[in-house]
Amino acid sequence: MRLKTSIIIQEPNSSNLNILLNHMQISYRVLLLSGAIIFARGISGCTDTPAQAEEKKGYILPDSLLRTIEIDTVTNSPVLNSLTLTGKVDFNEDNVIKIFPVISGQVSDVKVMSGDYVQKGHALAVIRSSEMAGYSNDYLTAKSNVDIAKKTMDATGDMYRSGLASERDQLAAQEGYNQAVSAFEKAKRVLNLNGGSMSGEYTVRSPINGFVVERQVNNNMMIRADNATGLFTISDLKNVWVMANVYESNIAFVKTGDSVSITTLSYPGKIFRGKIDKIMNVLDPSNKVMKLRIVLSNPGYLLKPEMFASVVVNTTENKKQLSIPSRALIFDHSQYYVLVYKSPSDIMIRPVQVLSTVGDRSYISEGLTEGEHLIGTQALLIYQELNS
């Protein structure tokens, strides 16, 4: 018996065909979108990896910069206070010589100008003087008298030995000679004290090495020995005085031995350091200030008498406070910061509270502990790198 099999093929209708095509299009789009996402993630992962690694790694101080910076240490030091005074540079009066006229006469040749440097014995001026002529005449007369007295004494001695003169005559001749020698020595000393010139001219000479800081004579000027005005003032400016004014309200804050920092208009970037040498314990009646004196060495003769000076007196209190060099401070957005250094890869920006600043040191009330290390130089550059 043979079975017959019949296959019925149903022709799809249009609605079913549309549904099938839509499903195929959606599946294809999903496949494309998934591939695009995977590819994009792969690219993103490749490009983000160094940035993420750098972010995780942080800022590391380069070796080239590390070799140039200086590291400061937070210390617990005595608190200094500062007081600013006005003053001026003056001569060291212990090394100032005023030259007064010792004779009267007419100035014939002034050999130096104010500001000239002179050696001891250097001729400053020449004065024609009748007094000098008198001194030289006295010298010549006394010398002639010695010669006469010597001949008289020798002749009397010969006569005494021949029996023609008495012993009394011999003694008188000897005494006359002695007196003539004494008068000659006196005339010679007077002449030498007044320059030793035999031409009637007196030469004014410098008694020390130094600068001519004052000159009160000109050629053809007539001078007198009783003149109260000096002819020249010579000063050795190897060290100078700085005289500062202290008002009554500040007298209690200064004492002998306090360290001072001095600046001048001529050298605004240069600080001259010294100590208070002497306090004048009287007030000036005209301006009601007390004077104090600082003795400064003056290499290169930088400081000139009459220069204006600003004097900062540093006084120490009986307490201690954390302090750092002022160069380590960074001021940004109304706040002070420092860079705390532990290693090239461990640098921290830390805000601090500044109590006061005296000279090149700042006192810190909050934000640091003793012994911490700070970046002292190139701090601003490193601060900007850390913030970026």
Side-chain angles (χ1 to χ4, degrees), residues 114-131:
S114 295
D116 289 350
Y117 183 81
V118 295
Q119 300 281 349
K120 180 178 179 180
H122 190 280
L124 305 178
V126 176
I127 302 172
R128 290 196 299 265
S129 171
S130 59
E131 293 179 23

Side-chain angles (χ1 to χ4, degrees), residues 44-63:
S44 176
C46 293
T47 56
D48 288 346
T49 299
Q52 291 172 354
E54 181 68 23
E55 182 177 356
K56 183 181 291 186
K57 185 178 181 181
Y59 175 76
I60 298 178
L61 192 64
D63 291 339

Side-chain angles (χ1 to χ4, degrees), residues 344-358:
S345 60
D346 190 356
I347 303 173
M348 182 187 303
I349 300 175
R350 188 180 298 176
V352 295
Q353 295 295 325
V354 178
L355 185 65
S356 64
T357 298
V358 179

Side-chain angles (χ1 to χ4, degrees), residues 200-220:
E201 293 181 340
Y202 172 74
T203 302
V204 183
R205 298 185 182 276
S206 174
I208 62 171
N209 298 338
F211 290 89
V212 180
V213 295
E214 288 183 355
R215 194 192 85 170
Q216 301 291 338
V217 294
N218 292 312
N219 289 331
N220 301 318

Side-chain angles (χ1 to χ4, degrees), residues 11 17 36 60 69-70 106 127 144 147 169 192 231 296 303 307 330 337 352 360 372 375-376:
E11 184 179 347
L17 183 59
I60 298 178
I69 66 171
E70 296 182 21
Q106 183 181 32
I127 302 172
S144 177
D147 294 338
D169 294 335
N192 290 335
L231 304 179
L296 290 180
L303 297 173
M307 272 187 176
I330 302 167
Y337 299 91
V352 295
D360 57 357
E372 287 189 300
I375 294 180

Side-chain angles (χ1 to χ4, degrees), residues 66-121:
L66 180 62
R67 288 192 293 267
T68 63
I69 66 171
E70 296 182 21
I71 304 299
D72 296 324
T73 304
V74 181
T75 59
N76 195 26
S77 55
V79 176
L80 293 178
N81 290 324
S82 63
L83 176 65
T84 302
L85 309 174
T86 59
K88 70 172 186 176
V89 180
D90 206 347
F91 303 111
N92 182 342
E93 294 183 4
D94 295 335
N95 296 328
V96 173
I97 301 295
K98 289 186 176 292
I99 301 174
F100 291 90
V102 296
I103 60 172
S104 301
Q106 183 181 32
V107 179
S108 63
D109 185 12
V110 178
K111 297 182 178 295
V112 294
M113 301 289 292
S114 295
D116 289 350
Y117 183 81
V118 295
Q119 300 281 349
K120 180 178 179 180

